[in-house]
Amino acid sequence: MALRTLSDFDDKKFDGKKVFVRVDFNVSVSKGTVGEDYRIRMTIPTIEYLTNRGAKVILASHLGRPDGRDNDYTLAPVAKRLSEVLDSRSSTKVRFAHDCIGQTVENEISKMNKGDVLLLENLRFYKEEEVNDKGFCEKLAELADIYVNDAFSTSHRKHASTYGMAKLVDTRIAGFNMRKEVEYLSMMRDNPIKPFKVVVGGVKIKDKIGALEHLLPKADKIIIGGAAAYTFLKAKGFKTGKSLIDNEHLSWVSKALSTYGDKIMLPTDHVAAMSPADTSITMVKGDIPDGMAGFDIGNETIEQYSAEVGGTKGAGMTFWNGPMGMFEVRAFANGTINIAKSMALAYWRGVKTLIGGGDTLEAMKKSGVAENEVSHVSTGGGATLRYLAGDEMPGVAVLYEGW
Ligand code: ADP
Ligand code: MG
C-alpha cells in the first residue's frame, strides 16, 4: 500500500484550508544565522504545492534540545531563511509566530490569506511535545484542517506533532519528502534492484546492526570501511593496533562473516598513524602495527572499492552510509573522497544511489559531489537506519491509519 501524498488529492481539497505541515527544520544556527539549509530547501516542493492551491500553510518543527522555552533555540532565524528561499521563487510571505499553540498562534492564523505561510515557534519549548501529551496534541490539532508530515527524520518518534495530533485530524497526508524517503527506503529494504551494493563505514556498528541484518541477505556486495572495518578485521584475526574496535559486537561480526563472508569486502591496506594529530602517517598492508591506529583505507583498497562502486553499469542500486576514514582530517580523507566520487559516477551510469547519515552527507559535499548527483539523499540519520531495520515508525504508520 502506497502512502498518499498531496498530489493524490483533488486540488480543491486544499483551497482556503489550514494545512499543518510537520517539517524538520532542525538545522544548525549560529549567532542568529542558519548554516546548512538543505533541510529548509528540500521542503519547498511541499510548501509551494500547497500555497499554489490556496492553502494557508502552518509549519511546525523542533530545533535542538531546549529545556523548556529558551531563546537560544528559537526558530526565528529559520523563518528568515525560509522567506529568502521562497521569495526568490514566489511572492509567498513567511510570518513567524512566537509560540506554537494558543492565542498568539490563533491570532496569527486569523490574519492569514490563502497562499500565506506561517512558521510556528519551536515545538520543544513545551515538554509536552516529546511525551505526546494529550492536551498538547489537542491544542496542535485545533490549528489544522489537514495534517501533513514531511519530516521523515523524526518519524521514528512518537511525539505530539509526529503522532498524537495526527490521529486527531481527519485527513493525514505524507509530504513529498516523506513519500520519497519511504518509497526509496522500502524499495531498498524489501526489493532492491540488482546488483545491490552496500557501502558501510563510520564508527557506530551498534546503530547499524539492525539495518545490516536486513541488508546483508539481500545485498550482492557489502563494502566495509571506516572504523567499522577494524572490528571485522579483528574478528578475522588481523592485528588492529589502537584502531577503534567495537568489542561488544565482535561476536555479531564474526557470525556475519561466517554467513556472508563471500560477499563482504574488507580493506587490505590502511593509512595508519599514532594519533589523528600525528603527521608521520604510513601506508600499511594487512596488520596494523602496535601503537598505531587505522584512520583511512589505503590506496590499494581505494582502487578496489572505487572499481566496485563506480564500476556498476546501467542498473542496480547502491547505498552508502558512513565515511571510509576520519575524513575531517585531510590526511585521512582520501578514501571517503574517492568513494563519494565513485558514487557520483555510478549515478551517472544509471545506478540508483542512496546516501544516508549526517557525517556521510557532509563528507559527500566536502568531496565535491553535488546533491543532484545522487538519486536520493536520506536525511533521516537514526530514522533511516531504523526504517531499514524494519522497526515500527509511528510517524509513518499514523499516515496509513484511517483510510
Ligand atoms: P554517519 O553520521 O554518516 O552515520 P557515523 O556517525 O557512523 O556516520 O561515522 C562518522 C565518523 O566516523 C566520522 O566522524 C569519522 O571521523 C569517523 N571515522 C571513520 N573512520 C574512522 C577511523 N578509521 N577511525 C576513527 N574514526 C573514524
Ligand atoms: Mg554521525
Side-chain angles (χ1 to χ4, degrees):
M1 193 162 58
L3 264 183
R4 289 182 307 179
T5 191
L6 302 165
S7 49
D8 294 327
F9 290 82
D10 202 279
D11 283 359
K12 289 198 291 286
K13 175 94 184 161
F14 306 108
D15 189 41
K17 293 286 168 33
K18 293 181 288 177
V19 183
F20 183 104
V21 188
R22 178 50 159 109
V23 289
D24 184 357
F25 285 167
N26 184 29
V27 295
S28 63
V29 177
S30 125
K31 293 185 188 125
T33 305
V34 172
E36 171 56 51
D37 61 0
Y38 181 67
R39 284 181 164 170
I40 300 175
R41 285 182 282 122
M42 72 188 288
T43 61
I44 290 176
T46 290
I47 296 172
E48 289 192 339
Y49 188 90
L50 289 166
T51 56
N52 287 339
R53 281 156 187 78
K56 299 172 183 175
V57 180
I58 302 160
L59 302 171
S61 176
H62 71 285
L63 178 69
R65 299 182 178 279
D67 187 12
R69 185 174 284 273
D70 177 347
N71 247 339
D72 285 350
Y73 295 90
T74 177
L75 277 164
V78 173
K80 188 164 166 275
R81 176 61 61 88
L82 180 64
S83 286
E84 288 159 8
V85 295
L86 286 173
D87 244 349
S88 58
R89 303 163 56 108
S90 67
S91 58
T92 305
K93 282 203 180 59
V94 179
R95 299 182 63 93
F96 180 66
H98 292 272
D99 209 337
C100 61
I101 50 165
Q103 201 57 52
T104 317
V105 179
E106 278 158 35
N107 289 346
E108 286 292 340
I109 292 176
S110 68
K111 285 188 272 183
M112 288 176 87
N113 294 312
K114 287 183 187 184
D116 281 351
V117 177
L118 177 70
L119 174 63
L120 306 183
E121 183 55 285
N122 196 343
L123 291 157
R124 289 196 186 161
F125 280 7
Y126 291 86
K127 61 178 186 337
E128 289 88 340
E129 159 69 357
E130 290 183 77
V131 295
N132 191 30
D133 175 79
K134 189 163 166 284
F136 187 69
C137 291
E138 284 165 2
K139 286 191 180 128
L140 287 173
E142 269 169 33
L143 309 175
D145 298 320
I146 294 170
Y147 173 85
V148 174
N149 192 338
D150 210 18
F152 175 79
S153 45
T154 61
S155 60
H156 54 308
R157 303 203 166 109
K158 210 168 189 168
H159 292 177
S161 66
T162 59
Y163 182 75
M165 76 166 288
K167 293 174 91 79
L168 304 174
V169 182
D170 288 341
T171 312
R172 315 196 263 277
I173 310 175
F176 292 126
N177 291 308
M178 172 69 92
R179 167 113 128 206
K180 189 172 176 232
E181 286 271 11
V182 170
E183 264 179 2
Y184 266 100
L185 296 179
S186 59
M187 189 210 303
M188 185 166 82
R189 187 188 64 191
D190 305 327
N191 205 5
I193 306 166
K194 298 280 192 167
F196 176 41
K197 300 178 182 180
V198 177
V199 185
V200 182
V203 267
K204 291 168 268 168
I205 290 189
K206 175 170 150 277
D207 295 352
K208 303 182 187 195
I209 282 181
L212 282 173
E213 295 261 3
H214 249 87
L215 299 177
L216 273 163
K218 307 238 171 189
D220 298 295
K221 272 278 176 326
I222 307 265
I223 299 143
I224 299 178
Y230 298 105
T231 305
F232 280 80
L233 289 169
K234 184 171 177 185
K236 285 194 93 163
F238 282 96
K239 286 190 175 151
T240 52
K242 285 200 302 182
S243 306
L244 278 181
I245 301 293
D246 186 342
N247 282 310
E248 258 175 65
H249 297 97
L250 210 50
S251 64
W252 182 89
V253 164
S254 296
K255 229 172 82 208
L257 277 167
S258 64
T259 316
Y260 302 108
D262 50 342
K263 52 182 166 184
I264 295 178
M265 287 178 82
L266 292 170
T268 52
D269 62 344
H270 317 270
V271 182
M274 306 293 270
S275 77
D278 185 4
T279 46
S280 59
I281 56 167
T282 45
M283 197 74 78
V284 298
K285 265 187 102 133
D287 295 318
I288 307 270
D290 287 342
M292 288 192 144
F295 290 111
D296 195 10
I297 54 176
N299 288 340
E300 183 184 279
T301 308
I302 289 179
E303 216 163 285
Q304 286 163 0
Y305 284 13
S306 300
E308 189 62 50
V309 174
T312 319
K313 284 193 193 113
M317 200 166 201
T318 304
F319 174 57
W320 176 29
N321 170 256
M324 294 291 100
M326 197 185 262
F327 73 98
E328 297 90 341
V329 180
R330 183 61 192 89
F332 310 123
N334 278 347
T336 303
I337 292 171
N338 278 281
I339 288 296
K341 290 193 187 302
S342 303
M343 286 293 288
L345 187 59
Y347 170 80
W348 290 117
R349 287 180 161 164
V351 176
K352 286 238 179 305
T353 56
L354 285 86
I355 287 184
D359 292 297
T360 311
L361 181 56
E362 200 188 311
M364 178 193 100
K365 290 193 177 155
K366 269 197 175 164
S367 308
V369 172
E371 282 155 23
N372 63 2
E373 292 183 291
V374 194
S375 308
H376 182 64
V377 174
S378 181
T379 53
T384 302
L385 292 173
R386 289 205 205 178
Y387 191 89
L388 292 175
D391 289 358
E392 154 124 43
M393 308 289 282
V396 178
V398 77
L399 300 175
Y400 285 104
E401 273 175 34
W403 48 289

